[in-house]
Amino acid sequence: MNDDRPPGHGPARALTVADVLALPVLAKGQPQVVTGVPQLDRPVRWVHITELTDPASFLKGGELVLTTGMPLPQDGAGVRRYVDELADVGAAALVIELVRRYHRPPDALVDACRLRGLPLVTLAKDVNFLEVTQVVHALLLGNQAEAMRRTQRIHEAFTALTLRGAGPEDVVRAAAEMCGRTVVLENLVHQALICEPSGSTVEEALTDWEERSRATGADGRTTARGPAEWLTAPVEYQGERWGRVVMLPARADGPAPGPEDVTVLERTAMALTVARLIHPTPWERTAHRSALRDLVEQRHRSAEDARARCTALGLPADRDRFVAALVELRTAGEGTEPEAGLFRELRAVGVSALVGELAPGRLGVLLALRPAQPWRPVVERLCGLALRLDPRAVVTVGSEVTDLSDTARSFREAARVAEATPPGQPLPADRSFHELSDVGLPRLLYALREDTRIQEYAEHQLGRLIDHDTQHGTDLLTTLRHYLDAAGNKTTAARRGGLSRETMYQRLRVVERLLDRDLESGAQRTELHVALTALDALRAH
């Protein structure tokens, strides 16, 4: 029965009545379960041989009681009292040998055991009770020694996590692996910040989380709570209760948490308290970052998992309209907490959102809109709040989406707009943010400025003209710019350049010769205009 599995594969199972009956030393007596079949999973703590009329006075609970039946009272009242005392003390089962006094169990004994839910097992053949106790006790002592070894390994595992400065995600993940149960870290307002599922999905673990969590109640002890038998332990920070860690049942009809589960959860809570001191970033912010990054990178197992997780963090994920925005911070100083500040400001004005850092200097904001609520005023409010944090902040926005699982697309669009927004890019006259419709050819080429194909194209089209200007001190590139901006109108181009028409004609002929181009061709003018726009983007960078 020993189980030398390391932490991470669940505790060794306790020896049960069914296990003992299956042992060869007892199986040769041809055991038959007369009553209490549903209770055969009761753990056996010890085996007790007795021929006393009041054996319960020598029991402490969990014993498998072996008897030949010789001491059983003759009258029905005495039999009921005998069984009641065994049941009251918590005996695991009563095993009676049908060899000496009885050849069938007395009806009064069967009725009394059935009434009290006490397993009654008969043996048709003679069994050496002493041999049974030796075998079972050896197994029990072996299990106890193994339990002690496993407890030591649990302590060592969490000590190693603490010494290497593990973060809360690592601690919660280790706990789930050790006990084979889902483990959740929540704060005082019952928001699930970290969920490590085991044998279930995030959706199954976190659906209606706040309601279920509140139903369990809370106190400062490590204990199984609520109708669902959640095992909970408080997590402290600087001497005050900060939240709690929850271990969910393996399944609805699974076994109750055992002593090793309690040990794992208590050490988890201790490790999280230390991790809270080592990692000063508020874990709510870390949870928002993680949820947003998983949405952006589409790392959720399913849309249902994503909705359950975001809902457990306080975002109304059941709404049918969402908008993703990116806030680029230019001047936010070190030590500031722009994420927390922006989240508080949004919450203060009644805007539901997740806010998290997606990259250094870039905050992601997922806005959940109320029914019929227009998104542009909400984003304008976001812009105002962002500018209060950083006067040089730039806000870019993706398109509105109707399902949480589509927010990755909205974030991608916002990122493309951000990539195509040079520093100092003027805002449109009617709003304080940039969106996808603002990205024309100049900003598209700016976004692609690091692509060597764009660089090679600009150099191939304009390199000889730039070299000529550099070597001879001319400004033919500007002349070409005026001409292209005037859509090929030489008179307009000459006026813009402050040149006579004859000088303009002469310079354009030199441009055509150097570039081997026909400036009267609309297609070739377009190619040169794209190259000039790309050159501007490269020089702006």
Side-chain angles (χ1 to χ4, degrees):
M1 298 297 294
N2 288 355
D3 186 351
D4 290 327
R5 294 172 296 180
H9 296 274
R13 186 170 61 85
L15 195 67
T16 66
V17 174
D19 295 330
V20 175
L21 297 181
L23 293 174
V25 68
L26 201 55
K28 66 184 181 182
Q30 299 179 0
Q32 179 179 356
V33 181
V34 180
T35 68
V37 172
Q39 283 76 42
L40 293 182
D41 60 350
R42 287 180 175 178
V44 175
R45 188 186 61 83
W46 208 243
V47 175
H48 185 74
I49 303 172
T50 182
E51 300 299 341
L52 300 175
T53 58
D54 59 342
S57 59
F58 296 91
L59 305 181
K60 294 184 178 180
E63 292 88 356
L64 186 77
V65 179
L66 303 178
T67 181
T68 62
M70 298 298 293
L72 282 178
Q74 297 284 351
D75 60 298
V79 170
R80 288 192 295 274
R81 182 174 61 253
Y82 182 91
V83 172
D84 285 341
E85 290 178 355
L86 291 178
D88 290 341
V89 80
L94 174 63
V95 178
I96 179 171
E97 189 181 72
L98 303 180
V99 175
R100 293 171 175 82
R101 180 177 178 185
Y102 297 106
H103 296 287
R104 59 183 299 272
D107 292 340
L109 179 64
V110 174
D111 293 340
C113 288
R114 181 175 291 116
L115 181 64
R116 293 303 304 271
L118 178 68
L120 173 63
V121 181
T122 62
L123 299 176
K125 292 188 176 182
D126 192 19
V127 169
N128 188 327
F129 283 174
L130 182 59
E131 187 178 353
V132 173
T133 62
Q134 290 175 336
V135 172
V136 175
H137 290 171
L139 291 172
L140 290 171
L141 291 173
N143 275 2
Q144 290 174 7
E146 171 59 18
M148 293 178 65
R149 287 193 293 269
R150 288 184 58 81
T151 298
Q152 181 62 29
R153 290 198 291 269
I154 290 169
H155 286 293
E156 291 172 354
F158 278 105
T159 298
L161 285 170
T162 299
L163 290 177
R164 69 178 175 86
E169 295 88 354
D170 295 329
V171 173
V172 173
R173 185 179 306 114
E177 291 174 353
M178 287 183 192
C179 64
R181 297 170 183 258
T182 296
V183 179
V184 180
L185 173 67
E186 69 170 12
N187 60 13
L188 288 179
V189 293
H190 302 279
Q191 291 178 341
L193 306 184
I194 300 173
C195 173
E196 190 63 38
S198 179
S200 65
T201 64
V202 172
E203 179 194 9
E204 292 170 338
L206 296 185
T207 297
D208 300 324
W209 175 263
E210 181 177 350
E211 178 183 350
R212 292 159 57 212
S213 179
R214 291 183 182 278
T216 65
D219 60 21
R221 299 173 298 156
T222 303
T223 181
R225 306 191 58 83
E229 286 292 302
W230 285 12
L231 189 64
T232 69
V235 178
E236 296 185 349
Y237 177 57
Q238 296 181 343
E240 296 184 357
R241 192 161 67 90
W242 171 86
R244 66 177 180 175
V245 60
V246 178
M247 185 183 292
L248 301 182
R251 57 185 184 277
D253 58 345
E260 286 187 22
D261 296 319
V262 173
T263 300
V264 169
L265 201 65
E266 288 178 340
R267 285 307 310 262
T268 301
M270 293 172 60
L272 287 170
T273 295
V274 175
R276 188 72 175 84
L277 295 170
I278 296 174
H279 302 276
T281 301
W283 287 353
E284 287 84 356
R285 304 276 60 78
T286 304
H288 278 218
R289 290 180 190 177
S290 177
L292 283 173
R293 290 172 182 175
D294 286 350
L295 284 172
V296 170
E297 299 172 20
Q298 296 180 298
R299 293 190 299 215
H300 288 287
R301 290 182 54 185
S302 67
E304 292 74 20
D305 277 8
R307 279 192 287 271
R309 184 179 181 190
C310 291
T311 300
L313 284 173
L315 184 80
D318 56 347
R319 293 184 179 174
D320 58 2
R321 291 160 57 246
F322 302 88
V323 172
L326 297 177
V327 180
E328 304 286 340
L329 300 175
R330 310 292 190 186
T331 59
E334 293 186 5
T336 62
E337 296 184 0
E339 292 170 274
L342 191 57
F343 177 76
R344 283 194 301 267
E345 295 286 353
L346 287 169
R347 185 171 56 183
V349 295
V351 176
S352 298
L354 290 181
V355 181
E357 186 181 61
L358 299 181
R362 172 178 286 186
L363 302 185
V365 182
L366 178 61
L367 301 167
L369 305 174
R370 295 189 301 273
Q373 181 181 23
W375 66 267
R376 290 181 180 275
V378 177
V379 175
E380 285 289 353
R381 178 163 288 183
L382 169 65
C383 293
L385 299 175
L387 291 172
R388 285 168 54 181
L389 293 172
D390 180 356
R392 296 180 57 197
V394 176
V395 178
T396 58
V397 183
S399 59
E400 182 183 72
V401 296
T402 57
D403 191 274
L404 189 69
S405 60
D406 293 330
T407 54
R409 172 167 58 86
S410 188
F411 272 114
R412 282 197 302 271
E413 292 175 354
R416 289 171 184 164
V417 177
E419 293 167 359
T421 304
Q425 176 70 35
L427 286 164
D430 60 339
R431 48 189 157 83
S432 303
F433 56 89
H434 302 274
E435 58 181 326
L436 202 58
S437 61
D438 299 329
V439 181
L441 179 62
R443 292 177 63 171
L444 175 62
L445 292 172
Y446 176 80
L448 300 174
R449 62 193 179 277
E450 295 182 0
D451 191 319
T452 56
R453 291 171 294 181
I454 298 295
Q455 299 170 13
E456 289 172 355
Y457 180 79
E459 181 64 22
H460 175 73
Q461 293 287 339
L462 301 172
R464 284 170 292 176
L465 188 61
I466 297 171
D467 290 342
H468 183 276
D469 281 345
T470 301
Q471 294 169 8
H472 298 89
T474 55
D475 196 11
L476 295 177
L477 188 67
T478 301
T479 300
L480 177 61
R481 183 187 301 278
H482 289 317
Y483 176 71
L484 295 176
D485 287 345
N489 188 311
K490 298 183 178 65
T491 302
T492 302
R495 185 171 63 252
R496 290 179 177 176
L499 304 174
S500 66
R501 291 181 62 186
E502 184 59 33
T503 302
M504 174 60 69
Y505 293 160
Q506 179 184 359
R507 291 188 177 187
L508 290 177
R509 285 195 292 272
V510 175
V511 170
E512 287 182 315
R513 178 175 56 80
L514 289 171
L515 299 182
D516 191 22
R517 288 289 184 171
D518 179 9
L519 295 182
E520 295 298 322
S521 166
Q524 294 189 25
R525 284 205 306 270
T526 298
E527 292 173 355
L528 290 171
H529 193 268
V530 171
L532 191 58
T533 305
L535 181 65
D536 290 341
L538 293 168
R539 288 179 170 178
H541 177 55

